[in-house]
Amino acid sequence: MTFVLFGATGDLAKRKIYPALYNLFLNQKLPDTFLVVGIGRSSLSDREYQDRVTESLYTFSRHLVNDKAKKKEFVKKFRYTQLDISNADGYKQLLEIVEHNEQEFQIMENRMFYLSVAPEFFEVISFNIQKSGLGATKGWKRLIIEKPFGHDLKSAQELNEKLSRVFEEHEIYRIDHYLGKPMVQNLEALAFANPVLQSLWNNQYIANVQITASETVGLEGRAGYYDKAGAIRDMVQNHMMQLLMMTAMSLPKQISAQEIRGEKRKVMESLRLMDKKEVAKNVVRGQYGPGEVNSEAVIGYLKEPGVEDTSSNDTFISARLWVDNAFWEGVPFYIRTGKRMAEKSTKIVIEFKNPLKELYSKELQNTGPNLLIVYVNPNEGVSLQLNSKNPLNGEIEPILVNFSANKANVPEAYELLIHDALKGDSTFFAHWNEVELSWKWVQPILEAFEENLVPLQTYCAGSMGPEASDDLLDEDGFKWW
Ligand code: BG6
């Protein structure tokens, strides 16, 4: 297999892709013969490129680089090609390099094209892959791309149309790195493997579902991108929707990519679309002002370098969604995500109904509802909140039954996803249907924001978002957990 990596000198390659490949290599999960051809704009020798890869392993790899011989064996498989990605002729040369290596090292003609570049280059690269003959392999060819997939519904559809001239849907692996997070992949197993949960996973027992992905970081030097995208495109259209699908999907008849993606699609097809005039009732948009995060003073969004001081970009979104099917009718799903919030935490909370409370109000006054909490990030774990009698004072109180994974042994999202793509398993990649249906839900929100139909709330950096976000749940008699 030849791994053709566009954007080989970029940040993602350095932080995620090289360490992921290395850990797969150490765990013997890469094909016996493989080669990585890195492509970038700068001029580098193979040796210089290999040095960069080595450096990234020392800095970012999950497994420490202890075995020097192994590391050397790994790095030897990296070649570098300087290429102007819009110049069709350069691809002929690239084809020669790939073919030459395939012959020399007897590598099967399977080619993985990884586009770790800005999306405006997806089209030209895929076009040139086809034109040059790089895509005409005797084995398989596959494409891995990163978000953002389009800027709105129309641009996403156009992009998909262009990509699908070169790659068939089953050859396209759209990475949503949230789908690579072990606890997200664990969601179906939790319901599958536990009849107790399985029987409770519906609107008879569940009061609401809350999905939070809060971050403490601000712009991290990405103003150029983020100020146009906002939290709605950066997090909601992709990651939050994927978390929602994974939580709300019905158990597939069997665990296969086709079944799981089919169930996810059904969730999206049942998602209630909003008219842009209704958006303000169900969506809160916020932007952080100055404040304190982790005991450090931070500036407000409008003072961030690269952001216009009149920007109305959203750095926080919370929303109420409805999945109109027999399972979830009447159960609100709440999502919230934002930058510069109080803590870094991605979690899914299932709040169960609490009918007993009305019957035995006095005895149960200190109790809480049963909660199932799936911690996705930064720590992986599952908690179940039950009520139990405190032996010290005889009061019935909430207790937490906790499981948490040993962080050091948990593989990284990119490791799992690249491994799946190499095996041809697309279960945890976003299918075009999901992406399109998700844009369909987001589109009226984009329009409502543009037409200023939804007030932009300021929240203090270091908080959990604007008050309006709490009000959203309060209206239904709930609170964020
Ligand atoms: C990325 C977004 O997709 O996800 C970033 O572009 C965000 O803005 C990041 O910070 C969050 O990922 P994680 O894995 O740290 O929750």
Side-chain angles (χ1 to χ4, degrees), residues 147 177-178 181 215 220 222 225 234-235 239 339 344 346 377:
K147 57 150 246 205
H177 79 281
Y178 270 55
K181 292 185 187 277
E215 297 191 86
E220 300 179 293
R222 298 158 77 214
Y225 152 75
D234 186 49
M235 293 290 293
H239 308 321
K339 300 273 184 205
K344 168 79 184 167
T346 304
N377 194 14

Side-chain angles (χ1 to χ4, degrees), residues 24 29 85 112 173 181 186 188 209 267 329 337 466:
L24 289 172
K29 287 185 171 159
I85 47 186
M112 176 67 84
Y173 291 73
K181 292 185 187 277
N186 190 15
E188 48 162 338
V209 178
V267 172
E329 210 186 319
T337 182

Side-chain angles (χ1 to χ4, degrees), residues 58-114:
Y58 276 110
T59 324
F60 298 108
S61 170
R62 174 168 75 86
H63 288 298
L64 296 180
V65 186
N66 293 327
D67 186 339
K68 294 263 162 64
K70 274 258 167 247
K71 191 255 330 174
K72 213 165 153 199
E73 192 190 330
F74 174 73
V75 170
K76 252 182 23 207
K77 299 191 183 280
F78 285 71
R79 302 284 179 283
Y80 184 79
T81 305
Q82 182 186 18
L83 178 73
D84 166 4
I85 47 186
S86 46
N87 171 9
D89 290 339
Y91 287 75
K92 297 232 175 65
Q93 210 183 325
L94 178 62
L95 174 63
E96 279 167 25
I97 296 172
V98 170
E99 282 180 336
H100 170 80
N101 281 298
E102 280 171 346
Q103 280 156 17
E104 185 175 344
F105 299 104
Q106 297 190 329
I107 297 173
M108 296 248 291
E109 242 183 66
N110 294 327
R111 295 179 191 153
M112 176 67 84
F113 299 98
Y114 197 130

